[in-house]
Each structure stands twice: as C-alpha cells, then as structure tokens.
Amino acid sequence: MSQFSDYAWMILDGTWVTVKITVVASVVAVIVALLTGVARTSKFFWIRLGPTLFVELFRGTSCYVQLFWAFFALPFIGISLTPFVASVLVLGANVGSYGSEVVRGAIAGVPRGQTEASVALNFTKLQRFRHVVFPQALVAMLPPAGNLFIDLLKLTPLTSLITMSDLTYNAMAVRQQTGSTFIALATILVGYFLMSSAIAWAIGRIERRASRGLETGPRAA
Amino acid sequence: MIWDWDFALRIIPDILRGLGTTVIATFFGSLLALAVGLVIALANRSDVTAVRRSSRGFAEFIRRTPLLVQLYFIYFVLPQAGVVLPPLLCGVIALGLHTGAYLSEVYRAGIDGVPRGQWEAARALNYQQGQTWLKIILPQAIPPMIPAIGNYIILMFKDSALLSIIAVPELMSMSRNIGNDSYRYLEPLTIAAILYLLLSGIAVLLLRIIESRSGMARLTG
C-alpha cells in the first residue's frame, strides 16, 4: 500500500507543476493579449505592424512546433531557455495571440456613441479608454477568455515533451512503473476535466460580477 | 554562419514527404470529425433524455481534456483491450474525435440559427421530415457554418504535428528525426514551422474567398 501512496504523490506533484505552468503562462498570455490587442486597434500602420506579425506567427503554427523550436532550435542562435521558462513563454505567447483577437474585437465592439459621449464630456484619451471603453470591452472579453484559459491548461501536457515533470509526464512514469496504463491515463483525463471545469466555473462567476450595472451580459439576460 | 543552406536544401525532400502524411491525416481526420460532430449534434437534440445527457457529457469531456492525453489513451489503452491499430489510424481517430466534439457546437449553432418560422412554414406546406431537413433547413444552416468548420480543420492541420509522438511519419516527425540524426535542429524545425505557417496561411485565405462567395450566393439566390 505504501507504493500506492508513492504513486498518488507523483500524481499530486505533477498536478502542482501543471497548475504552476498554467497560472504563470496565463499571466504572460493576458499581458501579450492586452498589449498586442490594444496596439492593433491603433490607427497608425507602424504601431499595428509588429503586433500583427507576432500574432500571425504564433497563430499560424501549433504550440507543439513552437515549443520544440524554442527548446531545440533557439540554442543554435545562442538562446538557451530552461524548460519552465520556455514552457510559460511559448504557451503564454501562443494563447495570448488568440487572446489578442478577443481584445481587439471587444474594443472594436464598444458602440461608437460611447467614445463620442466621452469626447463630448471632455475626457482625455486615457480617461476615455480607462473609464468608458475598456470596462465595457472587458465584459465582452470574458466568455472567450475563459475558453482560452481552458485551452491553455489543455496545452500544458505538451511541456512534458520538453522534460517538464507535469501531470502527464508523471502519469506516464507511473504507467511505466506499474503497467496499469488504463488507470494512469483515466486518472489524468479526469484530473484535467476537473481543472478545466474549475476554470469554467470561476470565469462564470467573474462574468456575473463584471456585468453588474451593465445593460447586457449574463445578468441582464 | 548559423544557418546552413546546403543542409537545409538537402533535407527538404524528406520533410516534404512528411507533409504528405500530414495532409492525409488531416483529410481523414476532417471526414471523421464532420461525421462525429453530426452524430453528437443529432444526439444532443434527441427526445430521449438519457441519450441527450450522455452525448452532451461526452462532448463536454472531450472538449475539456487535452488532445495529447486523448492520443495517449487511444494509442496505449486500446491495445490492452485487444484492439491494435496502426499509429496513423490512432492519430486520425484522436484528431477526429477531438475536433468532432467542437464541430457539434458549430452544427448546433447553424441549425439553431435557422428562424423558427422556416420549420413552421415547412410544416404548413406539408413537407415531410426528410424534405424539411434537406430542402429547407440544411441549405440555410450550412453556409454560415463554413467559416467555423474551416477554422477547426485548419486547427486540426496544425495539431496533427502531435502525431509525431506516436511515431506517425508526418511533417514534424520527419523534422525531429533529422534533428536527432544530425544534431542540427535549427534548419529542420524552422523549415517545418515555415511549412505549417505557409499552408495554414493559404488555407485561411482560401476560406475567406469561399466565405465571401457563399455569402453572395445566399444574397442573390
């Protein structure tokens, strides 16, 4: 029975690594999404150019290819990243690039009358964005953002391929040591399902809170 | 010189051979996904509560668990149940199931998007069930689905790189093998990434053209 608890610890240990990667990469993703998303609403071509190229580059290939490139090809041009840093940067940039489109779309979706009203009320550009446009855009961003956080969690098993000992990596180790393939894989499938569901639940709560006082959103409906 | 052109040109034929397998996997994966999505979408509309609940639960579970773990499950667990499949087939099944779970939502949105009056009119005109679907509902439901279905197939094309993990000789697998043999990862991984980028970029452009065409067909027809 002591062996069983060893394996249980390995699974818990892996879960903790998965959670760490997900949280840190989510922070990177949010920063990437906001910076590139807001920059891409600019009316100046030269401000849009860089972020657009960045986003298209990360959306045009899969996260797995990017992760391998960052871990195996980058050292040839003199940049060596630790597995953890490579994981959170690539996952963050990948999901952030999809998020960029969400941010851009949400800002573009705020009715023009809102901008015009704040110009009429003599708001500065920054005030207009900070107090009028962004809070309304945020509500529209949340549901797709929730799906992206779940997507990010679902990408973390890829990091096991560049030697991160996450949930998937440890489960495969348990599988090899015990030979019980079904139990090991079924356990982590359920584990990922529970973590995804927790994210979905949390985003649902934040959504309700953020849409308070607005005319649209889950509360008014 | 960090980038070795001679080496890069020498390995391109091998990498292109891998691309052929990638296209095959994506093609059959798409066919399976279209079928799986349809079955789930129809089951979700069933009059029998148990059927509805289990198909919704199944699709939700697939959408909330990682593709890599699903791939491992099919590749490692099925043989234990006595079902030994070639790696490429395992990969096609995993891609088809995963994408199919997402496509079921696209089908649902497309069918729900047809105004209720169309169903009522079909009934008033004495159309049979089959005629209603074939002549009234589907012709209106399918064009708006095309962009979303196309996007999921492009995603599948990029995700098919994962099949290299179960030794399917596709694009990414060929590049990794070249890297392992030569200890040079920069050229093969970069060429692979460029090919993914190029092909998915072309696919996105084609999709936009089809999209505008089908939109026009709807307006004039």
Side-chain angles (χ1 to χ4, degrees):
Chain A
M1 269 336 261
S2 76
Q3 259 184 333
F4 173 79
S5 70
D6 282 352
Y7 296 134
W9 269 117
M10 279 175 77
I11 295 295
L12 283 178
D13 232 28
T15 308
W16 172 233
V17 173
T18 292
V19 169
K20 261 199 303 198
I21 298 171
T22 308
V23 170
V24 180
S26 293
V27 173
V28 176
V30 168
I31 294 170
V32 168
L34 287 177
L35 285 181
T36 60
V38 172
R40 284 164 68 222
T41 61
S42 164
K43 56 183 178 208
F44 300 109
F45 174 77
W46 293 109
I47 295 183
R48 289 198 312 262
L49 181 67
T52 304
L53 286 178
F54 180 88
V55 164
E56 294 301 333
L57 198 66
F58 275 95
R59 295 202 309 175
T61 53
S62 70
C63 191
Y64 169 57
V65 176
Q66 292 154 17
L67 208 55
F68 260 69
W69 201 86
F71 195 64
F72 290 108
L74 263 190
F76 283 88
I77 33 183
I79 304 169
S80 293
L81 302 171
T82 64
F84 183 78
V85 172
S87 297
V88 293
L89 287 184
V90 169
L91 259 59
N94 182 285
V95 175
S97 295
Y98 286 93
S100 174
E101 197 54 36
V102 171
V103 171
R104 197 192 59 76
I107 291 175
V110 175
R112 245 160 87 87
Q114 296 288 328
T115 312
E116 286 161 5
S118 35
V119 172
L121 290 169
N122 236 353
F123 277 36
T124 65
K125 252 186 171 174
L126 193 68
Q127 282 177 323
R128 202 159 76 203
F129 186 76
R130 161 90 180 72
H131 294 293
V132 179
V133 176
F134 191 72
Q136 296 184 66
L138 187 63
V139 179
M141 285 175 209
L142 282 172
N147 285 334
L148 285 177
F149 287 126
I150 294 176
D151 283 344
L152 198 155
L153 169 72
K154 285 170 25 187
L155 289 173
T156 58
L158 297 177
T159 64
S160 69
L161 303 169
I162 59 165
T163 71
M164 284 302 293
S165 41
D166 74 327
L167 181 54
T168 302
Y169 186 94
N170 281 9
M172 292 308 271
V174 170
R175 177 188 98 85
Q176 261 171 0
Q177 286 169 30
T178 61
S180 44
T181 303
F182 175 79
I183 294 174
L185 286 173
T187 306
I188 62 169
L189 273 177
V190 172
Y192 282 112
F193 177 74
L194 292 178
M195 287 192 272
S196 300
S197 302
I199 296 175
W201 177 81
I203 290 288
R205 288 196 57 118
I206 297 171
E207 239 171 85
R208 271 192 295 280
R209 179 169 282 250
S211 60
R212 263 179 210 165
L214 286 179
E215 284 170 27
T216 54
R219 208 154 206 259
Chain B
M1 185 74 178
I2 303 166
W3 177 273
D4 184 345
W5 276 108
D6 284 344
F7 179 59
L9 290 175
R10 212 168 52 235
I11 60 178
I12 281 181
D14 276 341
I15 295 181
L16 286 180
R17 263 194 300 131
L19 182 61
T21 313
T22 293
V23 171
I24 291 171
T26 309
F27 178 74
F28 287 104
S30 305
L31 290 186
L32 183 61
L34 287 169
V36 167
L38 188 64
V39 170
I40 295 174
L42 290 179
N44 282 352
R45 302 172 73 86
S46 163
D47 292 331
V48 187
T49 313
V51 172
R52 220 167 45 229
R53 283 214 181 128
S54 49
S55 85
R56 281 188 188 156
F58 175 74
E60 189 83 345
F61 190 81
I62 299 277
R63 283 198 300 266
R64 287 188 177 179
T65 48
L67 177 59
L68 176 63
V69 182
Q70 291 165 4
L71 189 63
Y72 280 153
F73 196 87
I74 291 169
Y75 186 66
F76 290 118
V77 174
L78 282 188
Q80 293 197 326
V83 187
V84 182
L85 302 172
L88 180 59
L89 191 55
C90 288
V92 167
I93 293 173
L95 289 174
L97 271 183
H98 194 80
T99 308
Y102 283 94
L103 286 189
S104 70
E105 284 297 299
V106 176
Y107 285 124
R108 185 189 59 73
I111 294 167
D112 287 354
V114 178
R116 241 157 70 95
Q118 299 289 323
W119 292 94
E120 288 160 5
R123 174 171 293 179
L125 291 169
N126 230 356
Y127 274 52
Q128 285 159 1
Q129 182 85 351
Q131 282 179 318
T132 307
W133 276 102
L134 285 178
K135 300 206 162 156
I136 312 282
I137 304 303
L138 290 182
Q140 298 181 75
I142 289 174
M145 289 182 202
I146 290 173
I149 292 177
N151 278 332
Y152 278 116
I153 290 176
I154 294 170
L155 268 180
M156 183 198 282
F157 166 72
K158 290 180 281 177
D159 281 341
S160 70
L162 276 183
L163 304 200
S164 66
I165 293 152
I166 57 167
V168 175
E170 45 69 71
L171 177 51
M172 189 63 183
S173 176
M174 291 307 224
S175 318
R176 279 178 60 188
N177 287 344
I178 292 168
N180 289 341
D181 293 343
S182 63
Y183 298 105
R184 283 199 67 90
Y185 287 98
L186 182 63
E187 291 85 357
L189 289 179
T190 306
I191 293 171
I194 290 172
L195 283 173
Y196 281 114
L197 202 60
L198 213 62
L199 283 168
S200 64
I202 293 171
V204 168
L205 288 180
L206 280 178
L207 193 61
R208 293 220 179 113
I209 294 171
I210 295 172
E211 205 177 314
S212 59
R213 284 259 172 96
S214 70
M216 272 162 63
R218 228 177 332 151
L219 287 177
T220 55

